[in-house]
Amino acid sequence: MTASGVALRGYTVLRAGRASFLLHRRSALAALGLLVALAVTVVASLCLGESTVAPGEVLKVVLGQPSPHELVVGEFRLPRVVVGLLAGTALGLAGALIQTVARNPLASPDVVGVSWGATATVVGLLAYGVVGSTGQVPYAAVAGGLVAGLLVYLLAWRRGLHAHRFVLIGIGVSVALSSLTSVFLTKGDGFQAQAAKVWMTGSLNGAGYDQAGRLGWVLLAAVPCALWAARSQRSISFDDATAVGLGLRLNRIRLGMALLGVVLASCAAGAAGPVDFVALMAPQIAVRLARSAQIPLLGSALTGALVVVLADLVARRLLAPTELPVGVVTGLVGAPYLMWLLIRSRRGGS
């Protein structure tokens, strides 16, 4: 099959056989820029540490060639960078999907209860000794995130999904799950509760290829779903009356996109812990770079990956030799950003 492009206002229609896709040209350029920035950040993260490694030696290790720095780069730095890339990609994409469904820049897995569902589940199981090995943590996080996301969706449903209710109920569920997490931490075993606190910060310390492999397979399986979601974004931007008049199955589209976002956010939490605010920031940064009507999914995924890898580099070097959890850095950046969004949305509504 051959692909052809047809120019529209700021768009190119790509056709491959019977399939067609709208490509926003500025989004494509922004994605290319993000990809270059991400590559530079990855190389910097592999080069910098307690010992500095030349980029050429880093490239040798990545390509599997013999190098005296194979232990430092290949065993210590590369696995955490790979996990950071995959977790950031999943969070950025999850945030874009949930913000598209909610039609609200304040909506993200952190805000609507998904991340807190994963956190409460993992902390409860760790604090009471139900989960004894770190290998079981990802599965507990995924299960908790899915249950919390389903609960929010069902509570927000009233003859269809209402975006305003979805965000408000998500915030309420987040507060309730946050309180439940505090109960688990205070009532559970002290040693296990301390381990749970470390996991709660969101960290790539000790991250390995086991976490990367599981998350990588999830992202690979999500590619067809993400392509479907990209094509469905224009449909979901219509108001309900217009969508019904056009014969669109709006509720099914919203359910599918929300479910995909919940799964990706839960799996990211299982791999790296609840890295706060990445899913909130990445889509909004991407849409401002692209200046598009819809949130660019690819741009959001690349932005999420860039934010996590860059934050991890800062976390490792800011107070060296002490390494901070990556979630501490994203939280320090994300909290002011959330307040700015709240003030901006309040001014827009007044």
Side-chain angles (χ1 to χ4, degrees):
M1 294 186 296
T2 59
S4 62
V6 180
L8 294 175
R9 290 183 180 177
Y11 287 88
T12 296
V13 180
L14 298 178
R15 292 194 177 94
R18 296 183 178 180
S20 62
F21 299 91
L22 271 179
L23 176 67
H24 189 263
R25 290 193 289 273
R26 186 178 175 91
S27 295
L29 290 174
L32 183 61
L34 286 167
L35 191 60
V36 172
L38 180 58
V40 172
T41 306
V42 167
V43 172
S45 186
L46 293 175
C47 289
L48 301 177
E50 291 186 15
S51 61
T52 302
V53 180
E57 293 297 323
V58 165
L59 187 60
K60 286 183 180 180
V61 175
V62 172
L63 295 177
Q65 299 176 3
S67 171
H69 303 283
E70 186 172 352
L71 178 64
V72 173
V73 176
E75 298 295 328
F76 295 153
R77 297 180 187 173
L78 187 58
R80 69 186 293 159
V81 169
V82 172
V83 174
L85 278 171
L86 296 174
T89 298
L91 288 170
L93 187 54
L97 291 167
I98 291 178
Q99 287 181 12
T100 299
V101 171
R103 301 178 186 174
N104 193 323
L106 297 174
S108 76
D110 320 89
V111 176
V112 300
V114 176
S115 296
W116 276 111
T119 299
T121 303
V122 171
V123 170
L125 295 178
L126 283 175
Y128 287 95
V130 179
V131 170
S133 67
T134 55
Q136 296 172 313
V137 166
Y139 303 104
V142 172
L146 286 173
V147 171
L150 180 62
L151 178 63
V152 172
Y153 195 91
L154 291 176
L155 291 175
W157 183 272
R158 182 177 292 178
R159 296 181 181 178
L161 182 67
H162 296 267
H164 190 62
R165 284 173 55 84
F166 183 73
V167 175
L168 289 180
I169 290 175
I171 292 173
V173 170
S174 293
V175 172
L177 290 173
S178 173
S179 301
L180 184 62
T181 302
S182 299
V183 171
F184 289 152
L185 289 172
T186 55
K187 299 298 182 182
D189 176 76
F191 178 78
Q192 293 290 347
Q194 187 62 37
K197 287 181 181 178
V198 174
W199 181 87
M200 281 178 62
T201 57
S203 176
L204 298 178
N205 295 342
Y209 290 119
D210 288 341
Q211 295 96 320
R214 285 190 290 261
L215 186 53
W217 282 114
V218 171
L219 285 170
L220 186 62
V223 169
C225 301
L227 291 175
W228 164 82
R231 292 191 65 187
S232 302
Q233 275 188 307
R234 293 180 65 85
S235 301
I236 205 172
S237 63
F238 295 126
D239 61 84
D240 291 2
T242 303
V244 171
L246 292 173
L248 298 173
R249 296 180 176 180
L250 194 57
N251 290 325
R252 290 189 182 183
I253 295 173
R254 286 174 175 167
L255 176 60
M257 294 178 72
L259 181 61
L260 179 59
V262 168
V263 169
L264 289 171
S266 301
C267 291
V275 184
D276 291 333
F277 295 114
V278 175
L280 177 72
M281 293 187 293
Q284 294 305 306
I285 294 173
V287 78
R288 281 165 174 76
L289 290 174
R291 296 181 184 176
S292 58
Q294 285 84 35
I295 297 175
L297 298 188
L298 178 59
S300 299
L302 291 172
T303 304
L306 177 61
V307 168
V308 173
V309 175
L310 182 59
D312 184 54
L313 176 59
V314 173
R316 287 194 293 114
R317 301 308 303 154
L318 184 63
L319 298 177
T322 302
E323 293 188 0
L324 297 173
V326 65
V328 171
V329 177
T330 59
L332 288 173
V333 176
Y337 179 78
L338 177 60
M339 289 187 285
W340 176 79
L341 271 181
L342 287 168
I343 294 171
R344 185 172 179 272
S345 62
R346 184 177 179 182
R347 287 176 179 174
S350 59

